[in-house]
Amino acid sequence: MTLVVGMADGAVLIWRFSDKANAWQNALALEAAELSRPRMAHLDCVHDVSWAADVGRSYHLIATASRDKSAKLWHLKESDLGDSLHATCACELAHSSQVWRVEWNVCGSLLAASVDEGRVHVYKLDAKGEWSRAWSTHPK
């Protein structure tokens, strides 16, 4: 079993349950290359994390939402032996206010992000392989 946890300091940790040790173990800390803080995924508090459904991709897809006004999409891959994990930040979705929630659709092909200004933005993978905004709600 594997789970993802967002922290108040901006860290995002991947935990795995070890049958051998009969305990949860920290397997990986997601790191954004552009940040000067090691082992940090965001510059500020992580409000939400969401793991996309596994629909045959060669990697896992995780979304994180933060007070730093961004949502990030992460590719998580297992080694060929299945004994270690490697993660890369696939995309940063910048917003004008803090991002509170992220949630995948059932197929993991659409991502909804709710932001502090009262909007929900929906993103999808375009023909170029980049995540782009498909539509947004407008506050009343």
Side-chain angles (χ1 to χ4, degrees):
M1 287 190 290
T2 307
L3 61 92
V4 59
V5 178
M7 308 296 285
D9 64 358
V12 176
L13 305 175
I14 306 293
W15 291 81
R16 284 193 143 170
F17 188 79
S18 167
D19 291 328
K20 186 176 181 179
N22 196 29
W24 286 95
Q25 297 177 339
N26 186 347
L28 181 67
L30 302 184
E31 291 186 37
E34 73 278 3
L35 300 181
S36 59
R37 298 166 53 199
R39 299 179 54 86
M40 289 296 141
H42 286 275
L43 291 170
D44 208 337
C45 177
V46 176
H47 289 303
D48 195 23
V49 296
S50 183
W51 203 305
D54 182 6
V55 290
R57 285 185 290 270
S58 63
Y59 56 88
H60 296 282
L61 192 53
I62 297 171
T64 57
S66 175
R67 187 186 299 161
D68 69 5
K69 301 180 182 180
S70 74
K72 293 184 180 181
L73 307 182
W74 303 85
H75 288 180
L76 181 66
K77 291 185 178 186
E78 292 196 47
S79 68
D80 291 338
L81 299 175
D83 59 349
S84 63
L85 296 170
H86 175 73
T88 55
C89 184
C91 178
E92 180 173 352
L93 305 170
H95 294 87
S96 59
S97 60
Q98 62 184 316
V99 183
W100 284 97
R101 296 290 311 264
V102 284
E103 187 66 39
W104 295 99
N105 70 336
V106 70
C107 299
S109 59
L110 296 172
L111 177 73
S114 66
V115 295
D116 207 26
E117 62 201 25
R119 295 177 188 258
V120 175
H121 303 291
V122 177
Y123 296 88
K124 68 177 182 175
L125 202 58
D126 64 20
K128 298 176 188 174
E130 298 174 2
W131 288 92
S132 60
R133 191 174 295 170
W135 58 269
S136 298
T137 62
H138 298 284
K140 293 184 179 192

